[in-house]
Amino acid sequence: MEPGEPREPREPGPGAETAAAPHWEEAKTFYDNLAPQKKPKSPKPQNAVTIAVSSRALFRMDEEQRIYTEQGVEEYVRYQLEHENEPFSPGPAFPFVKALEAVNRRLRELYPESEDLFDIVLVTNNHAQVGVRLINSINHYDLFIERFCMTGGNSPICYLKAYHTNLYLSADAEKVQEAIDEGIAAATIFSPSRDVAVSQSQLRVAFDGDAVLFSDESERIVKAHGLDRFFEHEKAHENKPLAQGPLKGFLEALGRLQKKFYSKGLRLECPIRTYLVTARSAASSGARALKTLRSWGLETDEALFLAGAPKGPLLEKIRPHIFFDDQMFHVAGAQEMGTVAAHVPYGVAQTSRRTSPTKQAPPAQ
């Protein structure tokens, strides 16, 4: 070959093509991992079990609340804007929401096309500008919350029915009472006094019976006539179902989702477990509670009759993500043992509470 004469292209060797292929596969995998992962679609509200959660239930906003109370709404909004890239710390409802999402993942694996899922809605009367920090916090913790309701100072309660809400959780007792009065299952959620590890793979929900799952009919008899008359009444009416309480519908929704796992032969591995934790005595008044649930076509996985004993120590063993009760001393007892407890303001036990002065509600709900 003369100098300067162009070289003829050489044929690739027999192993050249196969040697290059792995490098292309590695590059493809690398760039696929960089691409944003597709999130699942939100179910239609009418098909889902909708849980509405306030911003102060989902996140801790103690400092923000202090600024609002002491310095007013303008300073509060300014502070939120200045700190919008700082995620909030998890609040009392955070483990519950994470457990709901774990159940959704299992349901999507078993029923890819079904919309019978939990749908979480963030409900707050914050100004819309504060929403950026909330969105950043949700993305920081990789929560799947697509629906927001930010009402700019107005009460969000009027929107709950439009969202087909099955349960509303808030740190604001006045808004919870407003929701209960509108016939919406609701509870005021409280942080535990200490952190206790809860299951990452199984949603655990514990309910009191009277004035939570059931009406307050029996509690009224205790208040008016004492325990002996109550026992007589329950024995005489053992086969008459109690009227439903404010959270009966939520237990019903949990049961519907449980059956989707049962139908796949997964009763023992079901990622939802429910508990009845009641001060009733099993022998004298327990049968009516169980027969009432049966008459509704419902059940709880466990039924614990404490005959007046404190609930806190038992809840410490159960480690539920949330416990619902209508009486604050049971809520306080649960808190002391590290349980996230929620107060249901319904029934005769609330009479004295509703006649006492209430503190002005903050705007961060």
Side-chain angles (χ1 to χ4, degrees):
M1 178 182 294
E2 294 295 327
E5 185 176 322
R7 250 179 228 277
E8 291 189 11
R10 296 179 60 185
E11 292 294 323
E17 189 173 320
T18 55
H23 296 291
W24 284 109
E25 288 300 322
E26 288 174 15
K28 182 177 183 300
T29 303
F30 174 76
Y31 286 111
D32 284 348
N33 290 337
L34 287 181
Q37 299 299 306
K38 184 179 178 183
K39 285 193 173 184
K41 281 177 60 179
S42 295
K44 296 183 180 68
Q46 63 268 30
N47 297 333
V49 178
T50 300
I51 313 297
V53 184
S54 79
S55 56
R56 281 207 299 143
L58 185 59
F59 299 118
R60 292 190 185 277
M61 302 175 69
D62 299 337
E63 177 62 15
E64 292 76 11
Q65 179 68 8
R66 184 191 65 78
I67 291 170
Y68 169 77
T69 303
E70 296 178 3
Q71 302 178 44
V73 67
E74 296 302 325
E75 185 62 23
Y76 168 83
V77 171
R78 187 190 66 77
Y79 178 88
Q80 293 280 37
L81 293 176
E82 287 180 354
H83 294 79
E84 67 180 19
N85 292 318
E86 299 173 16
F88 293 111
S89 298
F94 189 92
F96 176 64
V97 168
K98 292 291 283 185
L100 297 177
E101 294 191 342
V103 174
N104 276 357
R105 285 192 293 273
R106 293 284 305 278
L107 285 167
R108 286 190 173 102
E109 290 169 4
L110 295 172
Y111 302 93
E113 302 304 317
S114 175
E115 291 195 332
D116 207 358
L117 302 160
F118 292 111
D119 188 25
I120 301 145
V121 180
L122 187 70
V123 177
T124 173
N125 63 357
N126 262 309
H127 191 280
Q129 287 296 324
V130 181
V132 174
R133 190 177 184 193
L134 291 169
I135 291 169
N136 288 342
S137 298
I138 284 167
N139 290 335
H140 173 79
Y141 295 110
D142 197 27
L143 298 175
F144 184 66
I145 301 178
E146 297 291 322
R147 302 192 205 279
F148 272 43
C149 179
M150 293 177 282
T151 61
N154 293 328
S155 172
I157 302 305
C158 61
Y159 295 103
L160 293 179
K161 288 185 178 178
Y163 280 102
H164 298 266
T165 300
N166 296 89
L167 176 68
Y168 171 56
L169 296 175
S170 175
D172 187 327
E174 289 187 5
K175 289 188 178 63
V176 167
Q177 186 65 67
E178 191 180 341
I180 287 282
D181 292 344
E182 290 292 320
I184 297 165
T188 309
I189 194 167
F190 293 88
S191 296
S193 59
R194 56 190 173 89
D195 291 333
V196 171
V198 291
S199 175
Q200 301 296 308
S201 58
Q202 185 180 61
L203 170 66
R204 298 177 186 174
V205 183
F207 300 88
D208 179 30
D210 295 293
V212 175
L213 293 178
F214 315 129
S215 73
D216 67 338
E217 166 196 329
S218 298
E219 284 194 350
R220 288 182 179 277
I221 292 170
V222 174
K223 295 281 186 187
H225 305 290
L227 275 175
D228 289 341
R229 182 70 175 275
F230 163 73
F231 293 142
E232 292 172 8
H233 178 270
E234 293 304 287
K235 206 72 176 171
H237 295 82
E238 181 178 308
N239 294 311
K240 180 185 177 184
L242 290 152
Q244 72 178 50
L247 264 66
K248 180 253 188 179
F250 180 52
L251 176 63
E252 192 170 33
L254 292 176
R256 186 176 79 242
L257 295 183
Q258 283 180 309
K259 287 175 182 174
K260 294 176 78 72
F261 292 98
Y262 299 168
S263 67
K264 296 286 188 179
L266 297 172
R267 178 179 282 267
L268 296 181
E269 294 83 29
C270 182
I272 303 172
R273 193 164 184 85
T274 55
Y275 303 79
L276 174 64
V277 182
T278 173
R280 282 176 175 251
S281 164
S284 56
S285 57
R288 191 180 185 196
L290 294 178
K291 287 183 177 181
T292 295
L293 290 174
R294 186 192 302 163
S295 74
W296 294 341
L298 300 179
E299 60 180 325
T300 56
D301 295 291
E302 299 187 29
L304 307 167
F305 295 91
L306 302 187
K311 298 181 180 181
L314 204 66
L315 290 165
E316 184 183 25
K317 301 301 181 185
I318 295 170
R319 298 194 175 190
H321 292 89
I322 193 166
F323 165 61
F324 297 97
D325 203 292
D326 68 304
Q327 301 196 45
M328 278 304 300
F329 69 89
H330 286 311
V331 170
Q335 282 181 277
E336 289 172 11
M337 304 304 289
T339 296
V340 174
H343 177 244
V344 181
Y346 175 84
V348 67
Q350 317 310 315
T351 304
S352 59
R353 291 174 57 82
R354 296 194 71 174
T355 55
S356 62
T358 54
K359 190 177 178 181
Q360 182 65 32
Q365 298 305 304

